[in-house]
Amino acid sequence: MGTRLARALRVLDLTAAQHNALQHAAWTPGISAAEIARRAGFTPQSMGTAVNTLVDRGLLARYEHPSNRRTVQLVITDSGATLADQAREVVERLDREALAVLAPAERTVVHSLLLRVLAELNPDALPSLDRHGEGSEVA
């Protein structure tokens, strides 16, 4: 799945880290690169590289945090939001293709089980969940 995702995102000139940075900046305006790295399971260094590239491309903007000069907030630009929407559609298509072999009830079970495993392995990846698998979807 990772190979398919990388290939599909390459068409949009995005890496997986860049895709995650765009999505998290869209969902949580003002988020820091360090927080995105924690949530997405990337190293701070690789996320920093991804964010720098997105800023250089005009897809993200950096702003100083109003109360903490050491923290830089990331905000998605209009062109970044457009690209994030395109990437989200690509990921959703890949998910549908991968799960097409399962019956709808099986897809629900797999989704629930994967969320539980993710909540155990990386709870930061699911900030809007109650940690029991209830809540919003994740990328």
Side-chain angles (χ1 to χ4, degrees):
M1 190 67 176
T3 301
R4 286 182 179 189
L5 179 62
R7 190 178 317 122
L9 290 174
R10 197 174 311 128
V11 172
L12 298 174
D13 195 24
L14 289 174
T15 65
Q18 291 167 351
H19 165 69
N20 273 276
L22 280 179
Q23 297 304 329
H24 282 282
W27 297 329
T28 312
I31 193 169
S32 70
E35 181 62 23
I36 295 171
R38 275 190 294 280
R39 289 182 183 183
F42 286 91
T43 65
Q45 295 82 2
S46 64
M47 188 52 64
T49 300
V51 166
N52 287 340
T53 300
L54 295 171
V55 169
D56 291 346
R57 290 174 59 188
L59 302 170
L60 289 179
R62 287 187 178 105
Y63 295 96
E64 188 175 301
H65 190 280
S67 62
N68 183 349
R69 293 184 339 190
R70 295 183 329 172
T71 301
V72 175
Q73 297 180 303
L74 299 171
V75 177
I76 196 164
T77 64
D78 289 343
S79 56
T82 299
L83 186 59
D85 287 343
Q86 293 171 346
R88 194 174 310 112
E89 290 172 10
V90 165
V91 170
E92 288 171 358
R93 178 182 50 81
L94 289 175
D95 285 347
R96 283 191 307 274
E97 290 171 3
L99 297 173
V101 299
L102 301 174
E106 293 172 318
R107 288 183 213 135
T108 300
V109 170
V110 167
H111 185 258
S112 175
L113 293 172
L114 287 173
L115 285 175
R116 283 178 46 201
V117 169
L118 184 57
E120 177 65 28
L121 296 176
N122 183 8
D124 289 335
L126 305 172
S128 62
L129 289 180
D130 67 7
R131 308 297 186 238
H132 298 288
E134 311 278 327
S136 66
E137 301 222 5
V138 295

